[in-house]
Amino acid sequence: MRIFKFGGASVKDADGIKNVFSVLEKVGHEDTLLVISAMGKTTNALELVIKHYFEKSGELNSSLQDVRKYHNQILLDLFDDEEHDVFYAVNSHFADLEYFIRSNKSPNYNFVYDQVVSFGEIVSTTIVSHYFNHAGLKNNWIDVRNFIKTDATYRDAEVNWEKTQQLISKGVKKKALNITQGFLGSDENNFTTTLGREGSDYTAAIFAYCLNAESVTIWKDVPGVMNADPRVFENAILLNQISYREAIELAFYGATVIHPKTLQPLQKKEIPLHVKSFINPLLPGTSVSKGKDLEPQAPCYIVKRDQLLISLSSIDFSFIMEENISEIFALFHQYKMKVSLIQNSAISFSVSVEDKFGNFNELKAILSKKFKVSYNENVSLYTIRHFNKEAAEMVEKGKTVLLKQISRETMQIVTKE
Ligand code: ASP
Ligand code: MG
């Protein structure tokens, strides 16, 4: 079986959905599972709904209607007959969402978040599946929450591989065209969970692993994995072939073409990953597979914005040693701050972190009891893999460098723009 992942940009409007259909006509659709994200920027739009809900804002209803109208327009563009079942199906999903919002009593933001944003994927796959059937391409719509089981860490759920493996092996129809949602799972009590923003790539990898798939293809609006984000760097080039290791490194440092968790399950079973353009589906794109000799020849540039650079120094000039460091890391873990870079000296310790859950103020109060805490907000972390002198100079030009770290293959710079 092949696993195809189509992200939000590929299904952002009726033409996009028709294009996905034509991609399948060109590359085949037998024995294939499609993992599809929410349409366009729907996840962001639903995040706004959640914000209004918690702020008890008067704009709650209008933000919800925006999401509804957006999907309705896509339906009108795809189907001539307004009596088609798909209108009822989509309406009933929105009725469920509205019911949840009206009746929910849970004050748990992360729980509510997952119950609400999941409608993006549920609605998008409902539309795509009905449209394909309507256009003559028979398919099975699958609710991914019956297959991917997770713990109850809402917004960042951990997969229960054993249960997931059992359910997928037993329940996914081979030979057919299956359509399911990216990003979602469900916990023990069958509440919806999500795997982290942009998590649909990971969903594709989970299915690939459990089905021993022949390959995974991530269809993108770029030609493949580039050595740099073409929106940030001029002269970005396509990497035709890279190793799992290189892809993991690039994704870890923040290259957004592949979600960082995606590679590990694929690498374990040596399932090749292709990153291809949904605009030119017959071009080769990038292949990620096993092999030491697949190191890119050109430097690769990755930028992570919106980082926090935190420096801790001991108040009494005592050394920052193993004991302190392990305590500091335990706190970062507890407060869900993702550490992207570490540097330490005798009495000070600096880290560049991502505060996805907005926990820094709370953490700062705790750290300040033991350390002098200084920090810079909104800094950028540039990583250059396979760096050389010109590459480093180009990145540093015109920026204030707050911290620099160089290892054999990788150079990292934290800057204020
Ligand atoms: N729709 C989700 C998001 O925008 C998941 C994904 O697209 O991969 O983060
Ligand atoms: Mg997306």
Side-chain angles (χ1 to χ4, degrees):
M1 186 175 268
R2 295 175 308 173
I3 316 293
F4 285 178
K5 182 260 175 169
F6 286 96
S10 66
V11 290
K12 67 177 195 302
D13 51 25
D15 284 342
I17 297 165
K18 289 179 184 170
N19 178 62
V20 171
F21 183 85
S22 87
V23 170
L24 295 178
E25 282 188 317
K26 288 188 186 122
V27 303
H29 42 70
E30 250 179 51
D31 205 15
T32 302
L33 175 99
L34 304 188
V35 172
I36 301 179
S37 304
M39 294 178 165
K41 302 265 176 250
T42 300
T43 308
N44 295 358
L46 288 167
E47 283 183 343
L48 190 65
V49 170
I50 297 160
K51 183 170 178 277
H52 290 152
Y53 171 75
F54 277 102
E55 289 171 354
K56 300 196 173 19
S57 153
E59 288 169 81
L60 171 62
N61 194 44
S62 69
S63 56
L64 199 51
Q65 291 322 310
D66 286 345
V67 179
R68 210 172 172 148
K69 276 188 231 149
Y70 165 67
H71 288 91
N72 205 49
Q73 187 56 53
I74 293 177
L75 284 178
L76 293 171
D77 293 341
L78 287 174
F79 298 89
D80 295 329
D81 175 12
E82 282 183 50
E83 297 294 307
H84 191 285
D85 283 352
V86 69
F87 287 90
Y88 297 99
V90 169
N91 261 328
S92 115
H93 289 315
F94 278 112
D96 289 347
L97 170 58
E98 283 167 14
Y99 176 76
F100 173 82
I101 289 176
R102 258 197 330 271
S103 59
N104 171 64
K105 291 272 186 278
S106 168
N108 178 345
Y109 177 88
N110 294 341
F111 168 79
V112 172
Y113 181 101
D114 283 0
Q115 309 320 302
V116 172
V117 288
S118 51
F119 280 91
E121 269 71 15
I122 295 293
V123 170
S124 112
T125 50
T126 300
I127 296 175
V128 172
S129 171
H130 274 93
Y131 176 70
F132 284 6
N133 276 327
H134 171 77
L137 184 51
K138 297 290 165 245
N139 62 86
N140 299 315
W141 183 88
I142 295 177
D143 189 331
V144 76
R145 296 169 295 186
N146 298 329
F147 293 92
I148 297 187
K149 297 305 287 185
T150 69
D151 67 3
T153 314
Y154 300 109
R155 288 183 72 199
D156 205 9
E158 197 70 51
V159 172
N160 179 329
W161 284 94
E162 210 180 316
K163 281 194 189 145
T164 301
Q165 174 73 69
Q166 273 170 15
L167 291 165
I168 290 180
S169 310
K170 210 168 58 197
V172 175
K173 233 175 152 178
K174 306 269 158 59
K175 303 283 170 231
L177 173 64
N178 297 289
I179 296 186
T180 199
Q181 306 79 37
F183 181 47
L184 315 181
S186 71
D187 67 11
E188 224 174 19
N189 297 314
N190 287 343
F191 285 114
T192 303
T193 56
T194 63
L195 306 172
R197 282 303 306 264
E198 306 300 327
S200 297
D201 294 359
Y202 184 43
T203 305
I206 296 168
F207 275 101
Y209 182 91
C210 295
L211 291 164
N212 292 315
E214 141 198 347
S215 64
V216 172
T217 306
I218 300 180
W219 296 94
K220 305 280 298 183
D221 55 2
V222 290
V225 180
M226 317 282 287
N227 74 326
D229 182 340
R231 289 165 303 189
V232 183
F233 293 94
E234 287 170 34
N235 311 323
I237 56 163
L238 177 71
L239 307 171
N240 303 93
Q241 275 207 316
I242 51 174
S243 63
Y244 291 116
R245 158 134 203 249
E246 188 63 31
I248 288 174
E249 297 273 5
L250 293 175
F252 172 80
Y253 288 120
T256 53
V257 253
I258 309 170
H259 188 278
K261 281 182 176 172
T262 310
L263 278 314
Q264 211 190 22
L266 299 182
Q267 178 266 336
K268 272 197 197 150
K269 290 203 173 171
E270 294 184 16
I271 298 168
L273 169 70
H274 306 289
V275 181
K276 289 186 183 224
S277 155
F278 58 69
I279 302 153
N280 293 304
L282 298 176
L283 292 182
T286 301
S287 294
V288 183
S289 58
K290 199 183 144 184
K292 271 214 192 85
D293 45 338
L294 300 178
E295 301 294 303
Q297 298 309 309
C300 296
Y301 305 86
I302 306 125
V303 198
K304 266 192 181 178
R305 306 228 184 262
D306 219 3
Q307 300 281 301
L308 250 171
L309 180 64
I310 308 173
S311 299
L312 306 175
S313 40
S314 52
I315 295 170
D316 56 1
F317 272 84
S318 62
F319 297 132
I320 297 199
M321 295 297 282
E322 290 82 354
E323 195 192 315
N324 287 321
I325 291 178
S326 70
E327 190 188 335
I328 295 167
F329 271 98
L331 285 167
F332 282 135
H333 178 68
Q334 188 186 335
Y335 285 88
K336 294 192 166 36
M337 315 256 291
K338 203 164 155 262
V339 176
S340 333
L341 177 136
I342 308 159
Q343 187 149 303
N344 72 316
S345 74
I347 58 164
S348 90
F349 180 83
S350 298
V351 280
S352 174
V353 298
E354 222 171 289
D355 184 18
K356 186 168 133 189
F357 293 88
N359 290 333
F360 179 56
N361 280 333
E362 228 178 294
L363 175 62
K364 192 175 67 193
I366 294 172
L367 289 169
S368 300
K369 290 183 192 150
K370 280 202 150 176
F371 305 97
K372 187 173 153 282
V373 182
S374 46
Y375 60 96
N376 296 83
E377 288 171 296
N378 294 321
V379 298
S380 298
L381 171 65
Y382 287 84
T383 302
I384 317 173
R385 299 261 309 149
H386 316 289
F387 68 96
N388 56 31
K389 199 161 154 267
E390 294 91 80
E393 278 170 7
M394 182 186 86
V395 168
E396 285 180 32
K397 207 168 132 199
K399 304 186 184 82
T400 310
V401 176
L402 301 171
L403 191 154
K404 190 191 291 194
Q405 196 172 80
I406 297 178
S407 65
R408 222 173 320 137
E409 282 172 298
T410 308
M411 171 165 181
Q412 292 191 286
I413 306 166
V414 178
T415 69
K416 234 164 48 188
E417 302 290 303

